[in-house]
């Protein structure tokens, strides 16, 4: 039996020396050390040995088992080490490589123009006022001298939620709310930026939603010349010191007298080109002296106080400033368009 154990040891060590994989190693461990293996079979036959032989054969069997287990453990450790090294190599990060550059964003051109306009008017002593986009008919129309049967409402057809609630068509309701809040106190010098909504068909120059900034000044002895000087200061800050303005008579229910305001074309310097349709002028906003009826409904005595108001579409201002030909570019999120403003 001793010779059989020694032969088993040599056989096992020889097979283990040729192991090529973790699976082969596991198979040999089961083959030689498992419950049905030859070593276990030999040990089961020790009952037939004499009392003197059993300790000797038992020691030999233990030595054989220990020798086989030692080789298996050594190879098992080697395989585990190799597996760890392979995993570390696969998961290794080379910190010396340059990082992937992250895309740099920029302020949206409309937000940028709004900030510029706010900065200009804040520099002239104005404050910024805001109000709800879902508005009452009273503030959007009636308090601005547009009763329910007024034909001028047709120019500002909106999205109605109920008969008395709608998406605001202008930021003028903020002016009315400010007058109510101030309760006859003067002076009032505010600008009102925000989104407005009208049932327009979207095309290159119209959008059902757009951004507007309106302004309101109320005090004693406010005149049309103050309005003109304010707007001239604004356009020269926005478009350059050489920019000129002209006022053309117009009609708005909430101002009297009312004017359309044009600026000299920046593309041709006022000479005439395709952009300005050979006129040398581009319309940018509407304005006028606050209608006495609007002052009264806002809580101000029109015999004691006067004021002026103006309103501009931010998209229109931005299109003229940056030479943009289609208002829809502002809302389609085309990166080719937006990247142009990355460093402006």
């Amino acid at each position: 039996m001793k010779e059989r154990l020694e032969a088993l040891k040599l056989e096992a060590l020889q097979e283990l020396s040729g192991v090529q994989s973790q699976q082969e190693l596991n198979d040999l461990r089961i083959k030689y050390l498992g419950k049905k293996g030859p070593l276990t079979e030999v040990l089961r036959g020790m009952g037939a040995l004499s009392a003197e032989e059993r300790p000797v054969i038992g020691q030999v069997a233990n030595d054989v088992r220990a020798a086989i287990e030692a080789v298996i453990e050594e190879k098992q450790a080697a395989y585990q080490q190799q597996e760890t090294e392979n995993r570390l190599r696969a998961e290794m990060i080379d910190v010396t490589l340059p990082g992937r550059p992250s895309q740099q964003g920029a302020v949206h051109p409309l937000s940028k123009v709004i900030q510029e306009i706010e900065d200009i008017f804040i520099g002239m002593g104005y404050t910024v006022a805001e109000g709800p986009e879902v508005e009452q008919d009273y503030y959007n129309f009636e308090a601005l001298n547009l009763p329910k049967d007024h034909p001028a409402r047709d120019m500002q057809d909106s999205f109605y939620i109920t008969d008395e609630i709608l998406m605001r068509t202008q930021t003028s309701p903020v002016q009315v709310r400010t007058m109510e809040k101030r309760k006859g106190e003067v002076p009032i010098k505010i600008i009102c930026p925000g989104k407005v909504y009208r049932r327009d068909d979207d095309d290159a120059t119209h959008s059902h939603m757009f951004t507007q900034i309106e302004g309101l000044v109320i005090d004693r002895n406010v005149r049309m010349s103050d309005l003109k000087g304010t707007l001239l200061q604004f356009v020269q800050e926005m478009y350059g010191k050489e920019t000129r303005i002209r006022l053309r008579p117009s009609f708005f229910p909430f101002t009297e007298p009312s004017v359309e305001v044009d600026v000299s074309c920046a593309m041709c310097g006022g000479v005439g080109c395709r952009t300005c349709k050979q006129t040398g002028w581009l319309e940018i906003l509407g304005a006028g002296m606050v209608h006495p009826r609007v002052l009264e409904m806002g809580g101000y005595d029109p015999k004691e106080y006067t004021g002026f108001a103006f309103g501009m579409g931010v998209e229109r201002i931005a299109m003229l400033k940056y030479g943009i030909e289609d208002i829809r570019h502002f809302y389609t999120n085309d990166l080719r368009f937006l990247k142009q403003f990355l460093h402006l």
Side-chain angles (χ1 to χ4, degrees), residues 130-144 158-178 180 195-197:
E130 296 180 338
E133 294 178 19
V134 180
E135 188 55 274
Q136 298 179 37
D137 181 272
Y138 172 80
Y139 290 107
N140 195 80
F141 289 127
E142 294 180 47
L144 293 166
S158 181
F159 301 94
Y160 282 83
I161 299 172
T162 70
D163 289 342
E164 298 297 329
I165 303 295
L166 69 154
M167 304 301 293
R168 68 181 180 188
T169 62
Q170 53 198 352
T171 56
S172 301
V174 182
Q175 300 179 19
V176 180
R177 290 178 177 274
T178 300
E180 284 188 353
K195 292 191 289 292
V196 299
Y197 306 83

Side-chain angles (χ1 to χ4, degrees), residues 23-280:
Q23 184 62 46
E24 288 184 33
L25 183 65
N26 290 335
D27 292 342
L28 289 177
R29 178 180 59 78
I30 295 172
K31 176 181 178 180
Y32 287 102
L33 302 180
K35 292 181 179 180
K36 297 180 180 181
L39 182 61
T40 303
E41 185 179 346
V42 170
L43 293 175
R44 284 174 181 167
M46 289 180 63
L49 299 175
S50 65
E52 294 80 11
E53 291 179 318
R54 285 176 193 165
V56 176
I57 299 302
Q59 182 62 46
V60 172
N62 289 335
D63 291 343
V64 171
R65 175 182 289 277
I68 295 174
E69 287 180 343
V71 173
I72 291 176
E73 289 176 1
E74 180 182 353
K75 288 187 174 292
Q76 181 70 33
Y79 280 124
Q80 290 178 347
Q81 177 66 26
Q82 185 64 45
E83 182 182 352
T84 300
E85 292 177 359
N86 292 340
R87 186 170 66 250
L88 289 175
R89 276 195 295 269
E91 299 175 356
M92 182 176 62
I93 299 175
D94 187 351
V95 296
T96 65
L97 290 173
R100 295 182 180 90
S102 58
Q103 290 191 353
Q104 182 179 2
V107 177
H108 192 279
L110 286 182
S111 299
K112 180 175 177 59
V113 170
I114 290 173
Q115 292 171 2
E116 290 182 16
I117 294 173
E118 288 178 347
D119 288 344
I120 292 171
F121 281 101
I122 289 173
M124 291 191 281
Y126 287 69
T127 58
V128 178
E130 296 180 338
E133 294 178 19
V134 180
E135 188 55 274
Q136 298 179 37
D137 181 272
Y138 172 80
Y139 290 107
N140 195 80
F141 289 127
E142 294 180 47
L144 293 166
N145 202 32
L146 281 161
K148 291 187 181 297
D149 59 350
H150 200 293
R153 284 195 179 206
D154 294 341
M155 296 186 296
Q156 296 189 17
D157 194 12
S158 181
F159 301 94
Y160 282 83
I161 299 172
T162 70
D163 289 342
E164 298 297 329
I165 303 295
L166 69 154
M167 304 301 293
R168 68 181 180 188
T169 62
Q170 53 198 352
T171 56
S172 301
V174 182
Q175 300 179 19
V176 180
R177 290 178 177 274
T178 300
M179 286 190 284
E180 284 188 353
K181 184 177 180 180
R182 296 292 293 272
K183 297 179 179 180
E185 294 181 359
V186 292
I188 291 178
K189 291 183 71 175
I190 61 170
I191 56 170
C192 317
K195 292 191 289 292
V196 299
Y197 306 83
R198 298 183 188 179
R199 289 186 55 229
D200 282 335
D201 294 328
D202 291 356
D203 57 28
T205 57
H206 296 86
S207 173
H208 67 279
M209 183 206 76
F210 57 98
T211 314
Q212 194 176 58
I213 291 184
E214 297 195 12
L216 173 69
V217 173
I218 297 177
D219 205 346
R220 293 179 175 86
N221 301 317
V222 177
R223 298 163 297 191
M224 179 68 81
S225 58
D226 299 318
L227 169 62
K228 183 176 181 180
T230 298
L231 296 179
L232 179 62
Q233 176 72 17
F234 162 67
V235 299
Q236 289 185 344
E237 291 282 346
M238 179 61 66
Y239 296 115
K241 294 298 182 182
E242 299 78 18
T243 307
R244 295 171 289 120
I245 66 171
R246 72 175 182 182
L247 309 183
R248 292 182 289 107
S250 186
F251 167 76
F252 301 111
F254 29 81
T255 54
E256 180 61 37
S258 304
V259 294
E260 299 281 1
V261 182
D262 302 332
V263 297
S264 55
C265 179
M267 301 296 180
C268 63
V271 177
C273 65
R274 288 173 54 188
T275 302
C276 61
K277 299 179 181 179
Q278 307 301 326
T279 65

